[in-house]
Amino acid sequence: MAERDPDPYPKIENARSLRSVAEAAKACHACDLWSRATQTVFGEGPRTARVLFVGEQPGDKEDLAGHPFVGPAGRVLDEALAEVGIDRKRVFVTNAVKHFKWRASGKRRLHEQPNGTEIAACRMWLELELQLVKPDIVVALGATAAQALLGPAFRVTRQRGTVVSSPLAPRVVATVHPSSILRAPDQSRDAERRAFVRDLRIVAKLIG
Ligand code: URA
């Protein structure tokens, strides 16, 4: 059996610099996901961002590009942000888990949900992002992000769109993950998309 790395977290040269933290995260081996992913996908956006979005984990496109929310789910997010008047370039976007977890299906790589151990292993990076950006509002996109920020009892279906507090951030609003809109049946997709926009409008109002 392979021996486990005694300190799987790489050394951070300057923990007060987002760039330095992102650089260190490239070599993270705190769970096994790094071994099948192309690269670490760290959060991106200005350090002055007032809103920080947390998704689940990079998808296939994000894994290859090395940037969060640049694939189909990112397009849904971008369109909804534009609709409520939030400029994507002014928000920070990240994920609860920073490596793509997947299983093969023929030539395709299919998303697999990260487990509690993987989410916990990645928590340090999310905490550093939150400490450095200090957003006024954190938006959890989907159950994985919501539970990473608000605990396992949190239910997005019941509590979406409400402002709650977390030890990690004073104001958190949870909503669905944009890929759930892509997966929704044709007849309910538009209603799901409108409900997502409604939740983001709450965030837009909070930041004035
Ligand atoms: N889904 C996520 O949760 N994050 C991404 O970056 C892309 C898809």
Side-chain angles (χ1 to χ4, degrees), residues 55-59 62 67-70 73 95 177 179:
E56 181 190 81
Q57 61 166 346
E62 289 78 11
H67 305 289
F69 282 102
V70 292
N95 284 297
H177 193 285
S179 23

Side-chain angles (χ1 to χ4, degrees), residues 36-142:
R36 300 185 71 228
T38 307
Q39 56 195 316
T40 302
V41 180
F42 203 72
E44 286 181 356
R47 190 165 172 167
T48 51
R50 294 184 59 205
V51 189
L52 185 149
F53 287 83
V54 184
E56 181 190 81
Q57 61 166 346
D60 181 68
K61 294 271 187 304
E62 289 78 11
D63 171 74
L64 297 171
H67 305 289
F69 282 102
V70 292
R75 263 195 304 284
V76 174
L77 176 63
D78 287 352
E79 283 167 15
L81 287 176
E83 205 168 323
V84 303
I86 298 178
D87 184 351
R88 160 109 188 222
K89 290 196 284 304
R90 298 183 66 181
V91 303
F92 194 90
V93 179
T94 192
N95 284 297
V97 169
K98 294 184 172 40
H99 283 114
F100 179 37
K101 182 174 181 180
W102 59 276
R103 67 186 160 83
S105 171
K107 285 192 179 151
R108 295 175 63 210
R109 302 190 301 169
L110 299 185
H111 159 276
E112 284 223 304
Q113 214 175 337
N115 62 37
T117 309
E118 291 150 353
I119 296 165
C122 222
R123 188 178 177 86
M124 183 188 87
W125 302 113
L126 179 60
E127 287 183 3
L128 283 164
E129 289 170 317
L130 289 166
Q131 278 163 27
L132 293 172
V133 177
K134 295 191 193 63
D136 293 335
I137 299 149
V138 174
V139 183
L141 298 169

